[in-house]
Amino acid sequence: MYLAHDDGWLNKVYYRDFNDFYRMLGDVIPIKMEQMKVEKSILGLKKKKSYPSVPQESILALKNLMKEGLVISLSDCEQTRAKISIPLWSIGDFTNMDEMYDEFAATSAQSPCEAMLVFDKKTREWQVTGC
């Protein structure tokens, strides 16, 4: 299922095979990061970074967090010279985007994330770590 923040509508997507879902999620995360992050080169010109897909093994490591619902907070990611860390929270099952966002705001303010999806810029690899 996909909840869109911009319009608040609920959009259900069904998969026959969970592997298709995991592959789609691994492909979408880098695409969303490319849309959000614009870095400057040495000459001051803007350039977009491309990121590899998140491997299925890393996505499968998040399987237990995804059971009730998982927030992948790209807006709260932390970037250093060596890595990009994306915080992840298990949030529960919601049908209303506003209720989910309120719960996420309260949860993220009170407790640290449950896991991090980390992109190592040097090796260009993804891994899942605890917070």
Side-chain angles (χ1 to χ4, degrees):
M1 183 181 331
Y2 169 77
L3 290 172
H5 181 273
D6 295 334
D7 58 13
W9 290 97
L10 177 70
N11 182 12
K12 291 184 180 183
V13 179
Y14 296 94
Y15 291 90
R16 288 182 190 251
D17 186 6
F18 274 110
N19 290 325
D20 292 337
F21 169 73
Y22 298 138
R23 185 174 57 250
M24 180 276 308
L25 186 59
D27 290 342
V28 167
I29 292 171
I31 291 170
K32 291 295 184 182
M33 288 180 60
E34 288 171 16
Q35 292 172 352
M36 290 181 61
K37 299 290 179 189
V38 177
E39 298 181 13
K40 292 185 178 181
S41 67
I42 295 171
L43 301 174
L45 302 173
K46 291 182 179 180
K47 68 176 187 177
K48 283 195 172 206
K49 292 281 187 179
S50 63
Y51 303 98
S53 294
V54 181
Q56 193 165 349
E57 301 83 41
S58 296
I59 298 295
L60 288 173
L62 302 172
K63 195 173 178 180
N64 286 334
L65 290 176
M66 285 192 263
K67 285 182 181 178
E68 289 296 319
L70 180 69
V71 172
I72 302 169
S73 185
L74 295 175
S75 62
D76 292 326
C77 71
E78 298 172 6
Q79 185 168 343
T80 65
R81 293 184 107 191
K83 65 182 179 178
I84 299 172
S85 300
I86 303 169
L88 309 169
W89 283 272
S90 181
I91 197 72
D93 189 13
F94 292 89
T95 56
N96 183 306
M97 183 64 187
D98 292 331
E99 290 175 11
M100 189 279 304
Y101 188 77
D102 291 342
E103 178 70 22
F104 168 65
T107 301
S108 62
Q110 294 174 358
S111 62
C113 62
E114 296 180 48
M116 294 279 247
L117 185 59
V118 180
F119 177 69
D120 187 312
K121 292 180 180 180
K122 186 174 181 180
T123 62
R124 299 193 52 78
E125 293 179 353
W126 291 95
Q127 62 183 359
V128 175
T129 63
C131 283

